[in-house]
Amino acid sequence: MARCQAEETLRQAESAFDFGGEIVGALRYGQGHINDTFCVYVQKEDGECLRYILQRINTETFRDPDGLMENIAGVTDYLREVICKNGGDPTRETLTVLRTRENAPYFRDSQGGCWRVYPFIEGTVCLQSVQKPEQFYESAKTFGKFQMLLADYDASTLHETIPRFHDTRDRLCNFQKALAADTLSRAKDVKAEIDFVLAHEKDCSVLMDRLEAGDLPLRVTHNDTKLNNILIDKVSGRGICVIDLDTVMPGLSLNDYGDSIRFGANHSAEDEPDLSKVNFDLELFAIYTKGFLEEAGSALTAVEKEYLPWGAKLMTLECGIRFLTDYLEGDHYFRTHRPGQNLDRCRTQFKLVRDMELLWPQMQRIVAEIR
Ligand code: ADP
Ligand code: GN1
Ligand code: MG
């Protein structure tokens, strides 16, 4: 955002929300691919400093900001009550939507931009990759617990913020359309990746078929369970808060499990260009499986547990297909910082899928043992 415009947005935000003091600065923050996130610094009258997360909702991606914020306000209000009942600290264990002075969950700036505010959860870290295995275990427990805490949430009240978000079959279909259109003539340079997708066409239906057959239940799920969507307490090292609630919707527990594995069960960045550094780590896979099942396992059916390896593989495949589709379409969905970044992202995902296929019997054995 240009400086003048940023200052004007901050001025408008300050009149929309009561921050409890004066805004003294704001900086772009975090590494999300979708929303525009800023950390806002506020000075109270007594000189103490407060921080807030100010986010512009990506309304290209989330077409119904009212429905989206109704979901997030509803879920976080509900979590606050449950956390209080359980004797926890709701100011640290869930996001809190700061309401505007008119009690709305977000405000529109003069250019139509939709902005929401969360108090910054202090004393936490947000990791881009696993540094110690315990951190991955903590993230598993945190996401597993999140699913359990929302087990009785009325799913019928939730808006579907992105239709067919984890319908892998539909993602494949979108890829095929992008390939047929090939508007930027990029297909000729990514033949190997295209062939990889086409060779996995059948796999894309595995979980959707089981859902439609009634073998897998829909639950209230997060749907974007990357390691960097939880906050870890700096002192205790415990996972404390699940963030990035835009995609909380009815979904498959396997997808929440699988997306975490996709992102965290390796030691490289999602966009690592050197594929020799990208290796699926079975030990991390086992650690996450253990943590997730410890928290959410009692609620999962036998079929859900049996299909955990499929959750891991299909979320990785699906994400790779999405990156490749975006590359073919000109990089308009995922934020990129350099040319070819979505292609690099796609390649890491496909490398991880290949690794998983080679290690499939071991993955199944690990799940069976932990079950
Ligand atoms: P995106 O949807 O673009 O990924 P996120 O909601 O995940 O956006 O926010 C981006 C980053 O901002 C997070 O990865 C995290 O580092 C930070 N963040 C978001 N909310 C908070 C919060 N309430 N307290 C502290 N940090 C936060
Ligand atoms: C996006 O918003 P962020 O960066 O947490 C995307 C996820 C992808 C992920 C890949 C709404 O997540 O689905 O798995 O990038 N979110 C949306 O890193 O599309
Ligand atoms: Mg995020």
Side-chain angles (χ1 to χ4, degrees):
M1 233 190 323
R3 198 177 182 94
C4 287
Q5 198 197 322
E7 278 166 10
E8 175 54 21
T9 304
L10 284 178
R11 204 192 54 71
Q12 291 181 25
E14 205 161 21
S15 67
F17 294 97
D18 179 2
F19 288 99
E22 191 188 334
I23 294 182
V24 291
L27 289 174
R28 202 171 252 286
Y29 195 81
Q31 306 208 13
H33 295 341
I34 304 294
N35 295 307
D36 284 316
T37 304
F38 299 86
C39 180
V40 173
Y41 297 79
V42 168
Q43 190 172 317
K44 297 201 308 184
E45 240 175 42
D46 62 9
E48 201 191 316
C49 207
L50 297 174
R51 293 198 286 175
Y52 291 87
I53 289 289
L54 171 68
Q55 260 180 345
R56 178 169 40 203
I57 301 167
N58 183 332
T59 46
E60 282 289 305
T61 302
F62 301 105
R63 301 288 174 135
D64 172 18
D66 288 321
L68 171 79
M69 288 311 294
E70 204 178 299
N71 280 3
I72 297 183
V75 164
T76 51
D77 287 351
Y78 177 88
L79 287 175
R80 183 166 314 105
E81 262 182 41
V82 181
I83 290 163
C84 281
K85 259 192 219 143
N86 296 345
D89 176 355
T91 64
R92 303 195 81 227
E93 294 170 31
T94 174
L95 287 175
T96 302
V97 178
L98 185 73
R99 270 39 176 209
T100 67
R101 295 178 200 271
E102 288 168 2
N103 205 29
Y106 74 98
F107 93 103
R108 264 179 207 271
D109 67 22
S110 53
Q111 298 186 314
C114 298
W115 297 85
R116 65 181 166 213
V117 175
Y118 300 119
F120 196 100
I121 301 178
E122 298 290 353
T124 57
V125 285
C126 177
L127 299 171
Q128 301 308 323
S129 64
V130 174
Q131 293 151 357
K132 295 186 224 148
E134 308 87 77
Q135 296 165 335
F136 203 38
Y137 177 68
E138 279 301 318
S139 77
K141 292 193 69 117
T142 313
F143 281 124
K145 187 170 166 197
F146 181 82
Q147 210 166 88
M148 291 302 281
L149 289 178
L150 290 175
D152 293 328
Y153 192 81
D154 182 0
S156 70
T157 62
L158 286 171
H159 302 267
E160 200 179 358
T161 55
I162 302 180
R164 309 182 85 170
F165 190 53
H166 285 317
D167 179 340
T168 313
R169 257 189 333 226
D170 191 55
R171 296 293 187 179
L172 173 70
C173 201
N174 290 339
F175 161 77
Q176 281 161 335
K177 282 184 204 150
L179 179 59
D182 193 19
T183 42
L184 296 168
S185 305
R186 287 182 169 179
K188 61 181 181 332
D189 306 323
V190 290
K191 199 164 171 319
E193 289 73 20
I194 293 168
D195 289 346
F196 188 85
V197 178
L198 299 179
H200 286 82
E201 214 174 315
K202 266 206 192 135
D203 285 350
C204 293
S205 297
V206 168
L207 292 183
M208 290 311 289
D209 285 350
R210 304 282 337 221
L211 172 67
E212 283 163 10
D215 300 336
L216 290 171
L218 275 183
R219 303 180 183 278
V220 175
T221 49
H222 182 278
N223 294 304
D224 189 3
T225 51
K226 295 198 284 193
L227 181 67
N228 65 11
N229 283 333
I230 61 157
L231 301 176
I232 293 181
D233 187 85
K234 261 187 196 163
V235 177
S236 67
R238 288 272 155 88
I240 55 163
C241 184
V242 172
I243 60 170
D244 203 346
L245 305 178
D246 294 320
T247 49
V248 172
M249 291 182 273
L252 295 180
S253 60
L254 296 176
N255 291 341
D256 275 7
Y257 166 83
D259 197 37
S260 287
I261 299 289
R262 167 192 87 69
F263 189 81
N266 70 85
H267 297 278
S268 56
E270 190 177 59
D271 60 353
E272 171 60 58
D274 179 356
L275 288 186
S276 71
K277 293 186 183 154
V278 182
N279 298 298
F280 179 58
D281 185 324
L282 262 189
E283 214 170 297
L284 288 175
F285 170 77
I287 283 168
Y288 192 93
T289 306
K290 183 169 178 291
F292 190 75
L293 289 182
E294 274 170 12
E295 286 297 330
S298 61
L300 299 187
T301 65
V303 180
E304 281 175 301
K305 288 180 194 164
E306 182 192 336
Y307 274 76
L308 287 170
W310 274 105
K313 176 171 149 176
L314 285 197
M315 283 305 287
T316 315
L317 178 65
E318 179 189 287
C319 201
I321 293 174
R322 292 173 64 197
F323 288 139
L324 186 58
T325 305
D326 200 29
Y327 177 75
L328 290 173
E329 289 180 337
D331 308 305
H332 58 69
Y333 185 88
F334 296 103
R335 180 177 299 120
T336 54
H337 307 281
R338 57 178 168 79
Q341 194 172 6
N342 271 324
L343 182 56
D344 287 336
R345 288 172 177 155
C346 152
R347 287 176 171 152
T348 64
Q349 303 308 292
F350 291 171
K351 168 65 169 59
L352 292 171
V353 172
R354 276 197 295 275
D355 286 0
M356 287 180 201
E357 287 173 341
L358 291 172
L359 294 166
W360 197 247
Q362 286 92 319
M363 287 169 75
Q364 284 179 315
R365 197 173 325 124
I366 286 168
V367 169
E369 273 168 22
I370 295 172
R371 277 171 76 181

